[in-house]
Structures are given as C-alpha cells and as structure tokens.
Amino acid sequence: MARETMTCTDNRTGKSVEYPILEATRGPDAVDIRTFYKDTGLFTYDPGFTSTASCKSKITFIDGGKGELRYRGIPIEELAGKQSYLEVCFLLLYSRLPTEEEARDFDLEIRHRSFVHEGLRNLIESFPSDAHPMAILSSGVSALSSFYYEHLQVESDAEYHEMASRIIAKIPTLAAFAYRHALGIPLIYPDIERSFTENFLYMMRAYPGGKMKITPEGEQKIRQVEIDALDTIFTLHADHEQNASTTIVRGVASTGAHPYVAISAGISALWGRAHGGANESVIAQLEMIGDVKNVPEYIARAKDKNDPFRLMGFGHRVYKNFDPRARILKKLQDQLKEELGLDSKLLRIAQEIERIALSDDYFVSRNLYPNIDFYSGVILYALKIPRSMFTPIFVIGRTVGWITQWIEFKEDPASKIARPRQLYTGA
Ligand code: CMC
C-alpha cells in the first residue's frame, strides 16, 4: 500500500510528477516509477541495478548494513545447522517449516526422485573428458526440459510441487555424474537409503557396487561431520533474494520459457568468478599465493588501482558488514579445524589474508569483508572435495531459491517480460 509519495521535478521544464512510495515490511521502501517514462519521456539510469527493486518478494530478506539474512522471516542463524537443508527447502517453498511427518515425506519423495533418465546419462557421456562439471550441469538441467516438457505449463499446486521436488532431487545426481564423467570413472546411481546430502557425497566417492573406499582398517564411511558441514553449506546458499543468477532466472521466466531452462540459465550466471565461481577461485588464488610470506604482496596488488587483481572471497554488493553466512561458516571452519585436526598451508594463508584484510584501511573503509565464498572454499577444500565441484555445490544449494523465485514470479500478477531500456550514446 502506498501512503507517501515522492515528487520528481525536471529542472529543465519545471514539470513535477508525483510517484507513490511502496512500503516494505523490512528494509528500504521503493518508489514506484513504472509510469516514469510515460510521464516524463525520460528513462532512469542504473547499471547493475544498484538502486532498483525489480520485483516484490516475500521469500528472503537481507539487511546488508546490519549483516542480517532471513528466509521467510526466520534468521539464518536459527536455520543453519539446526534444520536440515531439505527442511529449509520446504520452508522456502511453502513459507513455513514442515511438521515431522511432512519433513519425512518430503525427504522420501526427494530420495525417490533422485534418479535421472538414462538418456541424460548418454548425454553426459558425450562431453569431452576435460569438461568442467558446471558446463555439464548447466546443459544437463537444460536437457531435463526435454524429458519433462509438460512442465512448460505449470498450473496447479501439485504441478508446482512436482516440478520443484523433481529438480531439487536430480541436481545432486547430475552434479555427481558430471564430476565422475570428468574423471572418466563409472557413474554411481543414487542410493535411496541415504539422506540428500550423504547421497551426494556417496555418488561422488563410492566405488561401483556401492562400497566406499576400503582401507586396512575396513570400509571408510562418510563422516557425519562432513555431511553436517555440507548440509549447512547447502542451507546457507539456499536463497539470496535478487542476486545475479536469480535475476537471470526471473528474466528467463519472464519470457515464458521452460522452468528447467530458466534454472539452467541461473547455473550459467552463477558460474562467473564475481558470483558463485568465486569459491573455486578462492582456492586457486590461495594456491597461487603459495606461502604466508607472499600474502602482503598480493594484498598490495588488490589495493593497487592499476592492477586488475582482486582478492577472491572478499566484498559483496549488498553486505557492507560481515556476511552473516560467512560468520556461520567461519565458526564451522574453526570447529572443523579442531575436529579434523586441519592445519594445511592453504588454511594458514587464508587466515593471514583474513587477518590483514580485516585491519587494513583499504578493506575496512570500503566495507570489504570475507564473504561466504571465502569460507565455503576453504571448508570444501578441507573436506577434500575437488575444487571443480565447489560451484556445483553452490548450485545444489541455490536450486531451491531459483525455483521458489520462479514460482513467485509466475504467481505475481505484476510480473512482466524483463525488457530494460538504454541510454543510447552511439552514432
Ligand atoms: N578486492 C579488492 N578490492 C575490491 C574487492 C576485492 N575483492 N571487491 C571490491 N573492491 C573494491 C573496488 O575496487 C572498489 O574500490 P573503489 O571504490 O576504490 O573503486 C570498491 O571496493 C567497491 O567495489 P565494486 O566493484 O564497486 O563493488 P560491487 O558491489 O560492484 O562488487 C563484488 C561486488 C562481489 C562483485 C566484488 O566485491 C568482487 O569482485 N569480489 C570478489 C569476487 C567474490 O568474492 N565474489 C563472491 C560474492 S559473494 C557470493 C555470491 O554473490 O555469489
């Protein structure tokens, strides 16, 4: 509801127009400028959408100044590590946490839907062996649209649910297949006796026949601490309001394209180093730095305006305070360090970068804090997850967010095709 207005005056003509201010339940209100062009003949100019609310949303709230993140009104601190990732998926999709029975049913449904059509397996096997898992994943999800074409028209609640649970269930299988294909090792099918997160680790690590590695001490199992850490990482990635990849998903949704190709476009957008690809780049960068003694040299490069080098895993468009997800992961990293006795060279370099950056005026004055990708990269490395799988892991977590935002877009009567204008400066 708009009670207040804002008046906009064109100083060239003296013409004033009043615009309604839409009230937010939390965070900044928004000026409704939908008729701005019609009223004034002018466009607004906002590259990167730094001041533009592209939609109304009830899903996720971020207060970047306070370092606050909520899913459906619940602070992330009450969810991460306290509810399972699938319970958080239910929360995002249905606006409330599931009852015990609903959680069990959802979990069982996801297990049963985790298999993919054999045709997809053939598709994956046709990729070159050095293909990055993100390339395979994005193509695989796009190809899902041809196996479930009927979901082009999703109308009833039951169809929304089927589409959402189907894609949440299949993404880890496709991600694990993509990884194993790149290694040239036999693909492992899902094991429906395992939970969502354990199953993913199992599909990445098991030997044909379903066994994990055999050592002189016996069969190595997936450690509960690894499952819990990964499940928390999935939860922390589950949604993040109108970030770049979600904006792309909504943009594709706005053209009426199939939901699975919208998710595939989101995967492609997430791959970039400025977005989800940062977690992989963090480790690449730590390896490049190579030694704690080299850290000051790279900090100096990050500060040098004439050097394009940026510290990966630092800074965020919205958070101008510690990213609350990073705060949770920092704690998890310290806990894992104790529980797993981690003390690698890379971890020491990461801690030195963190120490210097948190006290250096360049980073402090620009509010450049370590972000989620800084710690998730370090934790996934510590869990011996291969670097090429870091961004696919982000994809697994974020899939529910993309789907929930896709559904919200479809159900919003104000939704329109995404079609911005431009300030033409050419010939
Ligand atoms: N290292 C050094 N300087 C930086 C960095 C960095 N990582 N990030 C920003 N700056 C500087 C930048 O040079 C600029 O300085 P000045 O005001 O003197 O020109 C100032 O900080 C503001 O930067 P910006 O590029 O205008 O900020 P942005 O909001 O457009 O970009 C960002 C945000 C995340 C793309 C950027 O901080 C970055 O490239 N970080 C490294 C990549 C990264 O870690 N990405 C993961 C983001 S979190 C998870 C996700 O969204 O997927």
Side-chain angles (χ1 to χ4, degrees), residues 273-276 278 302 305 310-317 320 325 362-363 366 368 371-373 394:
R273 274 156 54 91
H275 197 5
K305 282 275 142 255
R310 279 193 168 196
L311 268 193
M312 287 292 122
F314 276 78
H316 197 277
R317 169 62 61 78
K320 300 304 168 198
R325 305 167 300 172
Y362 174 91
F363 294 91
R366 288 171 179 75
L368 297 172
N371 58 44
I372 185 169
D373 290 324
F394 196 152

Side-chain angles (χ1 to χ4, degrees), residues 102-333:
E102 285 168 334
R104 195 198 52 217
D105 289 351
F106 190 51
D107 176 79
L108 289 179
E109 181 180 358
I110 296 293
R111 291 179 195 222
H112 284 112
R113 288 191 187 279
S114 57
F115 294 82
V116 296
H117 193 286
E118 284 294 299
L120 264 173
R121 185 198 161 107
N122 297 337
L123 175 77
I124 288 173
E125 283 176 345
S126 67
F127 275 83
S129 58
D130 56 354
H132 193 288
M134 282 295 282
I136 303 180
L137 192 50
S138 147
S139 307
V141 172
S142 178
L144 273 181
S145 62
S146 56
F147 293 92
Y148 304 105
Y149 191 68
E150 75 280 6
H151 275 162
L152 181 61
Q153 291 300 336
V154 186
E155 274 155 15
S156 66
D157 286 352
E159 284 172 315
Y160 276 122
H161 175 85
E162 185 182 51
M163 187 275 287
S165 52
R166 180 176 277 159
I167 194 154
I168 291 168
K170 294 185 193 316
I171 291 265
T173 310
L174 288 173
F177 277 13
Y179 165 65
R180 293 187 73 106
H181 171 71
L183 290 182
I185 57 177
L187 307 187
I188 298 289
Y189 286 1
D191 174 357
I192 57 171
E193 289 191 2
R194 297 175 194 262
S195 70
F196 180 86
T197 301
E198 181 186 351
N199 208 1
F200 172 63
L201 283 169
Y202 164 80
M203 287 186 284
M204 275 210 303
R205 293 180 179 170
Y207 282 76
K211 285 255 186 259
M212 301 296 293
K213 196 174 175 185
I214 313 282
T215 65
E217 293 76 42
E219 187 190 347
Q220 267 189 1
K221 302 280 180 202
I222 300 167
R223 285 171 295 185
Q224 191 59 42
V225 48
E226 295 177 289
I227 299 170
D228 293 345
L230 195 54
D231 204 75
T232 300
I233 288 178
F234 287 153
T235 291
L236 294 175
H237 282 124
D239 193 51
H240 214 228
E241 52 121 302
Q242 308 314 315
N243 59 86
S245 53
T246 300
T247 299
I248 299 300
V249 169
R250 280 183 177 257
V252 177
S254 81
T255 70
H258 197 285
Y260 298 161
V261 302
I263 305 297
S264 167
I267 294 174
S268 301
L270 190 82
W271 194 3
R273 274 156 54 91
H275 197 5
N279 56 12
E280 188 179 337
S281 302
V282 165
I283 297 302
Q285 198 167 81
L286 294 177
E287 282 175 355
M288 183 177 79
I289 295 172
D291 197 287
V292 171
K293 72 174 178 357
N294 301 330
V295 170
E297 176 195 332
Y298 283 93
I299 296 271
R301 282 190 62 189
K303 289 158 60 172
D304 181 356
K305 282 275 142 255
N306 301 316
D307 189 332
F309 178 84
R310 279 193 168 196
L311 268 193
M312 287 292 122
F314 276 78
H316 197 277
R317 169 62 61 78
V318 181
Y319 294 118
K320 300 304 168 198
N321 199 325
F322 225 99
D323 176 340
R325 305 167 300 172
R327 202 180 284 125
I328 293 168
L329 284 188
K330 180 175 164 45
K331 233 192 248 167
L332 184 63
Q333 173 198 280

Side-chain angles (χ1 to χ4, degrees), residues 85 88-89 92-93 168 238 396-405:
Y85 169 69
V88 170
C89 290
L92 286 167
L93 287 166
I168 291 168
I396 296 173
R398 182 56 55 85
T399 295
V400 67
W402 289 327
I403 296 167
T404 311
Q405 301 268 353

